[in-house]
Amino acid sequence: MFSRRRFLVLFPAFAASARAFAAWPTRKKKAAPIPVYVFFGTDTTKGVSKGIYRSTFDSTHGQLSPPELAATTARPSFLALAPPGSGHSSLYAVNAINDPAATVTTFALEPKTCNLRQIGQVPSGGAGPAYVSVDSTGHAAFVANYTGSSISSYRIQADGTLSQPVERLDFKDRQKFGEPGPNSARQQDPHPHCATISPDDRFLLVCDLGTDHIAVFYIHPETGTLSDPHLFTNERPGSGPRHVVFHPNGRWVYCINEMDSSIDRCLWTATRFSNTPQGLLVNSTFSIKTIAPEFPADKNTAAELAVSPDGNFLYASNRGENTLVVFSISTKNGDLTLVQRISCGGKTPRHFTLDPTAQWIICGNQDSASVTVFRRDSATGMLSGPVQTLSLDSPLFTLFA
């Protein structure tokens, strides 16, 4: 019999192979994927949902886990996160009750588990708060009070909670904010529906469904207070502007109008060197309907819109027609062209959002107690599905953590 040493001398090729094998790196176990969490705000006035719910999302297959209650809180209709790098991990929720004593609640967000713990609550400054936004520095926040006809601004404190309102602006001041629109049923009062911060954090855009205006304010960085507004209108009384979104190029702003189910493309410009810089919207005269020509206009209200991260597609939702609509965006001038109209898979798609990979859209169907997931083709913009339908009572808002 050969000794091991004698064997390796006589068979050098085997010896070389043995050395090579010993040098191979050991295979490490794959690390478990980090969970992607999704929060859902719900309508608690129906007596079923209790507040904010949380799921995990599998972005490989487009699957949500069953929602679990993350925090009990009154009617969290809109949510926002403290931005990365702000020094605190917080989630903000408006409590959209129809009461002048309505509030905005701050939750501490545990980074690994996304558990929520309430750490603050302050007045929203009016009834029916419908929107909360946080600037990219994590220093200021803004709330639009739909029923209360007002907006409020806040400083964000070191622990992530909101200060008491720094300023409250009453949109019933007709000299500043204009006259109500012609629809006496819907436009009897001003109804601020969003408080959208410009990409450079210098301006606040507020859609007022009641007066058909978009008010543009300069944000004073030292105090969080707001300048006098510049008012923009699309010259279509009764359209009811609801939400705006900036295109990634920063030049185009799209506004979805709730009452006449349309989207306007506006031009955005802002001065840089002035004691009080001015942000201006200019009417491009481009507008497109969100509903099909044959659908009764009085049976629909447009709801949400979003632009894909590459700036090539815009998505909108219709409550009544109960559809998600896909438009391509012209790289030349930003005009929209219809690509697809698809059922939302439920009833009353109040809000939807793209997941962080932009491969999926999650849609909350308020009046069918469901959440639907759609696959998105990044090349064509088109949606397919739903690939999943999940039960959740009265979903109002969806937010990826």
Side-chain angles (χ1 to χ4, degrees):
M1 294 190 56
F2 292 114
S3 68
R4 180 178 180 275
R5 182 175 180 182
R6 177 70 173 164
F7 181 85
L8 295 179
V9 169
L10 293 175
F11 300 97
F14 182 86
S17 298
R19 287 192 296 271
F21 180 80
W24 286 352
T26 56
R27 182 176 294 180
K28 295 181 180 179
K29 292 183 179 180
K30 290 184 178 180
I34 298 174
V36 177
Y37 289 97
V38 186
F39 289 107
F40 299 100
T42 62
D43 188 350
T44 60
T45 63
K46 304 295 179 65
V48 180
S49 287
K50 303 300 182 184
I52 301 172
Y53 288 77
R54 181 186 59 205
S55 292
T56 57
F57 183 64
D58 176 355
S59 59
T60 302
H61 303 99
Q63 296 291 300
L64 288 161
S65 66
E68 298 178 345
L69 183 63
T72 300
T73 193
R75 206 167 190 264
S77 69
F78 205 97
L79 312 175
L81 290 172
S86 61
H88 43 76
S89 184
S90 303
L91 182 147
Y92 306 95
V94 295
N95 301 112
I97 60 173
N98 192 19
D99 188 311
T103 53
V104 189
T105 303
T106 303
F107 297 90
L109 180 65
E110 205 287 323
K112 291 184 179 180
T113 64
C114 276
N115 289 334
L116 296 179
R117 175 173 54 87
Q118 182 174 326
I119 57 173
Q121 192 171 72
V122 295
S124 70
Y131 200 102
V132 58
S133 57
V134 179
D135 75 356
S136 67
T137 68
H139 291 143
F142 303 90
V143 168
N145 297 293
Y146 179 86
T147 309
S149 304
S150 65
I151 61 171
S152 299
S153 62
Y154 303 83
R155 300 303 295 173
I156 298 178
Q157 303 175 120
D159 62 355
T161 60
L162 300 182
S163 68
Q164 292 295 312
V166 172
E167 186 173 34
R168 179 186 181 276
L169 297 180
D170 186 353
F171 274 54
K172 291 183 179 179
D173 182 343
R174 296 187 178 183
Q175 187 173 357
K176 278 189 177 182
F177 298 105
E179 299 290 327
N183 187 321
S184 59
R186 297 289 314 276
Q187 296 181 307
Q188 73 280 14
D189 286 313
H191 292 304
H193 211 306
C194 75
T196 303
I197 301 169
S198 64
D200 61 5
D201 290 324
R202 296 193 304 155
F203 299 95
L204 188 73
L205 285 69
V206 179
C207 289
D208 182 355
L209 181 144
T211 66
D212 294 313
H213 287 118
I214 302 174
V216 181
F217 302 88
Y218 171 66
I219 303 169
H220 293 285
E222 298 84 4
T223 61
T225 58
L226 302 170
S227 69
D228 286 337
H230 163 72
L231 299 184
F232 168 84
T233 178
N234 60 16
E235 306 296 345
R236 292 198 317 280
S239 58
R242 178 182 173 92
H243 284 173
V244 293
V245 64
F246 279 80
H247 188 274
N249 67 14
R251 300 194 307 270
W252 304 327
V253 172
Y254 296 94
C255 175
I256 193 164
N257 300 292
E258 177 175 326
M259 293 168 56
D260 74 354
S261 300
S262 67
I263 298 172
D264 298 319
R265 177 180 60 80
C266 311
L267 303 178
W268 171 254
T269 184
T271 60
R272 290 187 174 275
F273 304 104
S274 172
N275 290 333
T276 303
Q278 296 291 315
L280 300 174
L281 286 172
V282 178
N283 194 344
S284 72
T285 72
F286 177 87
S287 183
I288 192 169
K289 288 288 188 180
T290 62
I291 52 175
E294 65 274 12
F295 194 88
D298 62 345
K299 302 296 183 183
N300 189 77
T301 53
E304 186 59 291
L305 79 171
V307 174
S308 60
D310 60 12
N312 292 331
F313 300 97
L314 183 143
Y315 298 84
S317 65
N318 287 305
R319 299 170 295 181
E321 188 183 63
N322 294 323
T323 55
L324 296 173
V325 189
V326 185
F327 300 93
S328 63
I329 300 175
S330 167
T331 57
K332 180 180 178 181
N333 56 18
D335 287 354
L336 304 177
T337 301
L338 178 65
V339 171
Q340 182 190 27
R341 185 181 309 279
I342 186 172
S343 169
C344 69
K347 187 177 181 181
T348 316
R350 176 186 174 102
H351 186 264
F352 66 87
T353 189
L354 281 77
D355 85 303
T357 70
Q359 295 177 324
W360 310 93
I361 278 182
I362 297 181
C363 179
N365 301 300
Q366 182 178 358
D367 293 330
S368 58
S370 65
V371 175
T372 44
V373 181
F374 293 84
R375 184 185 297 273
R376 174 180 174 269
D377 187 312
S378 59
T380 66
M382 297 181 69
L383 305 177
S384 57
V387 300
Q388 184 188 23
T389 299
L390 201 63
S391 295
L392 179 64
D393 193 75
S394 302
L396 301 179
F397 194 83
T398 305
L399 178 70
F400 280 88

